[in-house]
Amino acid sequence: MKKTLIWMLVTAMLASTVLVSCSDAPAAEETSAGTADTAVPSGTEETTTEETVEEEPAYDPQIEAADYEGYEFRIMDRSPDSSGWWVSMDVYSEGLNGEVINDAVFQRNETVNEYFNIKIQPYTIADGTFVTELKNSAAANDNLVDLGMLTLATSLTASQQGLLYDLNEFASFHPDAPYYTHSILDDTSILNRNYLAVGDMTLVSNEGTWSMMYNKQVAENLHIENLYDLVREGKWTIDKLFELTQNIGTDDGNGKPDLNDFFGLLTTGDSFAGFLYALDYKIIEKDPDDSLIYRGLTERLTVAAEKMLSVLGNDHITCRGQLGGDWSVFQTMFEANQSLFYSEVLQCVTRLRNMDVDFGLLPLPKLDETQDAYHTNIHSWASDALTIPTTAADPEMSSKVFEYLSFVSMSTLKPAYYDKALTYKAMRDEESVEMLDYLLDGRIVDIGYLMNVGNVYNGLLSNLQSGTTDFASFFQKNQKAADKMLTRTMESYLE
């Protein structure tokens, strides 16, 4: 409750001063291979909320101000993709225009500019050219950019090729700070080095996070129990999802599933990836030295695959890619009350502008109640991560600006994003804030997915989409390629 109240107050203060799948990627994406809550009780004084907020200690990264004499500080960033949806939203703003995130970015940058006497400028290029540009800059020694806002996958590619600094080399980097997503720092570290950070500054990674929505009107009609309580109690599992959806699908009269029917769940084929990581399986693990280990076939994967297919592979429960249509078709169906659940990346939540029926936000379900937390993943292309290129003119300056940008984003970009994500119908209650916390705090990243080690991720996803759960021969076939790629990868970092 305390966390919720804090962000509601911060958002209110910000607003008073300013405010195919959703995550489909283009073919040009570079990979590691280098290719293209509650009302105040009666009798409580009005000052209680203020006193609660004041009890929260303010985090201070203790970054000293400096005078860099008006230096033009350039940040490499993505240009808009062909869809028009996936655009930069967290690096640069030309000025105030009344849009909450734009104005938060502008105010954040102005604060940082003044603190260091710099002028933040974007260096905007197509994301598929990030690594090439950094390699050319290194060869020319031209100090092209001072920071890089790269995708998750491209960040690892660049680090493997020696194009990014280990953030831990800099005293100004605070990995335990509240403005970083700590699970992702842990998941993407290699040999105890962190080459990228995701957190309050990386809003595109918020947008690319897999989530689940439910139609409150349908839930009421079906007398569905309180789903928020299920999440809080740790009982929101894949088995519970199956239980709630197995018998509610209806046919339009032609005797076969199609886009005119009512379903338990609407989604796309990409959701297998979201569910795979929600059920807590990773292709790559770490040893005590933080080296990468190929996990291979496990009992957990077999169980998770069977449970996933009981829902996603059942045409009477789930409408996805095998029935035709794309994200816009499924969104229209969800708005027309043709489903109880709708699973997509968070950007699709903000696209439900015209929905007249109330909907709520949920994390993806756990494998079982013993799983320690709710997890989800971020689409490797529909993502961003902050990095420091080795071609930066003044790495110490870059590290200080890196940290201060992240710090100031905690009080500007984060509440602005929450305000944007929660301004749509039925997404304005404290419970929705709480569920968004579950989602963003529970994100994990699998290096095996980002690097597609031994082509295991692509093959595993293909098997799941085709309804296969017998993975023994698949993993045996790919073991050699995965081991070879991991060995080559670790050698590149050791060098």
Side-chain angles (χ1 to χ4, degrees):
M1 176 178 176
K2 182 184 293 184
K3 185 174 183 181
T4 297
L5 290 171
I6 292 168
W7 281 115
M8 289 177 67
L9 285 173
V10 174
T11 302
M13 288 187 288
L14 177 67
S16 69
T17 58
V18 286
L19 185 80
V20 124
S21 150
C22 282
S23 53
D24 278 343
E29 169 61 17
E30 292 174 302
T31 69
S32 60
T35 60
D37 280 309
T38 313
V40 177
S42 177
T44 302
E45 295 182 6
E46 292 181 359
T47 57
T48 300
T49 299
E50 285 189 20
E51 291 171 357
T52 299
V53 174
E54 291 173 356
E55 290 173 1
E56 287 287 324
Y59 185 86
D60 182 3
Q62 298 182 336
I63 305 299
E64 293 186 4
D67 183 1
Y68 291 113
E69 302 178 343
Y71 177 80
E72 184 176 289
F73 190 94
R74 290 190 291 183
I75 304 177
M76 182 177 284
D77 195 23
R78 71 198 301 157
S79 58
D81 76 311
S82 58
S83 73
W85 288 110
W86 295 101
V87 297
S88 171
M89 59 189 302
D90 40 26
V91 169
Y92 181 73
S93 163
E94 292 185 352
L96 301 175
N97 65 7
E99 196 280 319
V100 63
I101 290 181
N102 173 85
D103 291 359
V105 170
F106 180 80
Q107 292 179 334
R108 189 272 318 276
N109 286 0
E110 286 296 287
T111 298
V112 177
N113 284 339
E114 182 178 352
Y115 200 73
F116 295 111
N117 189 14
I118 59 175
K119 186 176 181 180
I120 294 173
Q121 293 291 323
Y123 180 77
T124 306
I125 58 175
D127 70 277
T129 63
F130 283 159
V131 171
T132 299
E133 288 269 4
L134 289 176
K135 288 174 70 174
N136 291 342
S137 178
N141 194 28
D142 61 7
N143 309 126
L144 182 66
V145 292
D146 302 285
L147 292 179
M149 187 69 91
L150 313 181
T151 68
L152 281 166
T154 303
S155 296
L156 283 179
T157 302
S159 71
Q160 189 177 351
Q161 298 187 28
L163 299 172
L164 301 179
Y165 278 108
D166 171 15
L167 303 176
N168 298 299
E169 293 182 16
F170 304 102
S172 54
F173 178 59
H174 295 68
D176 295 329
Y179 37 81
Y180 295 128
T181 304
H182 302 131
S183 59
I184 295 180
L185 283 175
D186 293 340
D187 290 342
T188 57
S189 67
I190 299 176
L191 298 175
N192 298 308
R193 305 170 194 165
N194 290 107
Y195 296 97
L196 63 94
V198 169
D200 294 343
M201 182 173 175
T202 53
L203 299 189
V204 176
S205 281
N206 289 0
E207 297 278 87
T209 299
W210 274 97
S211 65
M212 181 169 282
M213 293 151 271
Y214 79 97
N215 185 309
K216 290 187 176 181
Q217 184 61 63
V218 171
E220 181 180 345
N221 295 343
L222 295 174
H223 307 290
I224 300 296
E225 59 198 289
N226 189 310
L227 296 173
Y228 293 143
D229 283 345
L230 282 177
V231 173
R232 296 186 185 104
E233 295 164 5
K235 297 179 179 179
W236 177 229
T237 65
I238 188 72
D239 286 340
K240 190 65 178 180
L241 175 61
F242 176 74
E243 175 189 323
L244 294 174
T245 57
Q246 62 176 323
N247 295 318
I248 64 174
T250 58
D251 182 70
D252 65 349
N254 63 5
K256 62 180 182 179
D258 58 37
L259 299 177
N260 297 315
D261 295 341
F262 176 88
F263 295 90
L265 171 65
L266 298 171
T267 188
T268 66
D270 281 352
S271 62
F272 278 103
F275 276 80
L276 178 67
Y277 293 111
L279 303 183
D280 209 14
Y281 172 82
K282 293 179 183 177
I283 296 168
I284 295 297
E285 289 183 327
K286 309 281 196 67
D287 69 9
D289 296 322
D290 206 35
S291 294
L292 307 182
I293 300 174
Y294 177 53
R295 192 173 187 182
L297 179 60
T298 67
E299 181 180 353
R300 186 177 190 89
L301 174 59
T302 300
V303 173
E306 291 174 349
K307 290 182 181 293
M308 268 193 289
L309 287 172
S310 71
V311 177
L312 300 179
N314 188 324
D315 288 353
H316 297 283
I317 292 178
T318 301
C319 177
R320 55 182 177 84
Q322 85 279 21
L323 297 180
D326 60 14
W327 68 267
S328 61
V329 172
F330 302 135
Q331 178 177 309
T332 300
M333 292 172 67
F334 186 61
E335 292 174 342
N337 300 334
Q338 284 183 253
S339 179
L340 173 58
F341 295 107
Y342 175 37
S343 183
E344 249 293 0
V345 293
L346 269 175
Q347 189 183 92
C348 289
V349 175
T350 64
R351 295 183 192 178
L352 294 170
R353 298 173 182 269
N354 301 317
M355 186 167 177
D356 293 326
V357 177
D358 291 352
F359 68 94
L361 181 68
L362 299 170
L364 294 181
K366 300 191 294 185
L367 179 65
D368 52 43
E369 292 184 31
T370 66
Q371 186 172 312
D372 64 342
Y374 295 100
H375 294 306
T376 189
N377 76 314
I378 306 172
H379 195 285
S380 64
W381 174 79
S383 63
D384 56 2
L386 195 58
T387 67
I388 302 179
T390 54
T391 59
D394 184 342
E396 288 295 333
M397 174 183 66
S398 290
S399 70
K400 292 176 182 179
V401 176
F402 181 110
E403 194 71 13
Y404 205 68
L405 274 169
S406 301
F407 165 61
V408 180
S409 293
M410 181 173 62
S411 59
T412 53
L413 265 64
K414 180 172 182 176
Y417 182 77
Y418 271 54
D419 187 56
K420 176 185 176 182
L422 303 177
T423 53
Y424 302 100
K425 190 173 180 64
M427 291 290 291
R428 303 172 186 173
D429 55 28
E430 296 172 7
E431 290 172 313
S432 295
V433 177
E434 183 184 359
M435 295 301 119
L436 192 51
D437 285 340
Y438 274 110
L439 270 168
L440 297 182
D441 292 344
R443 292 178 295 180
I444 59 174
V445 170
D446 178 14
I447 290 180
Y449 160 55
L450 297 180
M451 290 185 170
N452 193 24
V453 173
N455 203 38
V456 172
Y457 169 76
N458 285 347
L460 184 57
L461 198 63
S462 177
N463 275 276
L464 288 168
Q465 290 172 338
S466 65
T468 301
T469 59
D470 183 8
F471 302 126
S473 60
F474 166 74
F475 275 96
Q476 183 177 7
K477 177 182 178 181
N478 287 274
Q479 178 79 44
K480 186 175 181 180
D483 287 342
K484 184 177 180 179
M485 182 175 178
L486 269 187
T487 298
R488 193 166 59 241
T489 298
M490 292 309 305
E491 287 175 349
S492 69
Y493 284 104
L494 287 169
E495 291 172 359

